[in-house]
Amino acid sequence: VYMFGDCAFNPTDSTLYMVDGRGNNGLYRVNTTTGAASLVGLHGIPNMAALAFHPPTNRLYGISADTRILYLISTTTGAATPVGPPMPVPFRGMAWDSKRNTMVGSDGAALLSINGSTGIVMPVAAAGIAPDLGMTYDSVLDRFWVVDIGGQIVQLDPNQGFARTFMGVIAGARTCVASLPQTP
């Protein structure tokens, strides 16, 4: 059984990545049509829970909730390279905000901006959401979407101090959410 963490979409080549932090510690490519996942490679980092694609640098980043370190993850081999010192909180979700040009992560209690070059974080807002979550940013709506392990979906509005709107519950445990472009 694979225990997936967060997922992230690369809009440049339309690739969806998913990270497994509690099973075999691997990085996967997910077929967005069939849902089939294929192993890219092992990152070897326990509890890799947060994942975000950073389009300006064409890089994939992950954060381990255990080590609290930001990692640069190879989309070719799955290997993880540490970036910066341990962070103050165990991130569970992360997303690239293309409007504000910043990576944002959350441990459920807080939202923090993440510097991809140094791994340094800065407070953004209180979150008040479940600690086991997946996170994505929707550039069309200019909203963050969060799904927690219980299937609750919450929308966060960065224009309103990250105000939360409960959007519903999906059946089953989830920690992966990604914003993909609509296809005709």
Side-chain angles (χ1 to χ4, degrees):
V1 173
Y2 298 114
M3 299 290 291
F4 289 116
D6 208 359
C7 53
F9 185 71
N10 174 351
T12 306
D13 66 5
S14 298
T15 301
L16 180 63
Y17 293 98
M18 189 174 278
V19 69
D20 172 10
R22 295 183 183 156
N24 69 0
N25 298 325
L27 175 69
Y28 296 82
R29 280 189 195 91
V30 179
N31 182 310
T32 58
T33 302
T34 66
S38 59
L39 180 66
V40 172
L42 301 180
H43 53 72
I45 307 299
N47 210 2
M48 183 76 74
L51 194 68
F53 191 81
H54 187 254
T57 59
N58 202 35
R59 292 181 172 176
L60 185 65
Y61 289 95
I63 300 175
S64 164
D66 287 354
T67 67
R68 297 181 179 187
I69 291 176
L70 177 70
Y71 293 91
L72 178 60
I73 301 174
S74 168
T75 57
T76 306
T77 66
T81 305
V83 177
M87 298 176 173
V89 296
F91 284 83
R92 301 294 183 167
M94 180 170 54
W96 168 249
D97 178 344
S98 58
K99 183 172 182 178
R100 289 158 200 83
N101 296 319
T102 188
M103 242 182 335
V104 175
S106 181
D107 66 341
L111 293 165
L112 296 107
S113 67
I114 304 163
N115 182 309
S117 298
T118 66
I120 302 297
V121 299
M122 299 294 293
V124 174
I129 46 184
D132 287 321
L133 57 97
M135 184 176 189
T136 193
Y137 175 74
D138 180 336
S139 62
V140 175
L141 296 177
D142 189 20
R143 300 286 190 276
F144 286 89
W145 292 87
V146 175
V147 62
D148 71 19
I149 197 161
Q152 292 188 63
I153 302 168
V154 177
Q155 186 184 82
L156 303 171
D157 184 349
N159 299 299
Q160 302 294 322
F162 288 88
R164 295 179 317 235
T165 302
F166 176 74
M167 303 302 288
V169 178
I170 53 176
R174 307 284 188 269
T175 58
C176 172
V177 61
S179 180
L180 280 64
Q182 292 183 342
T183 55

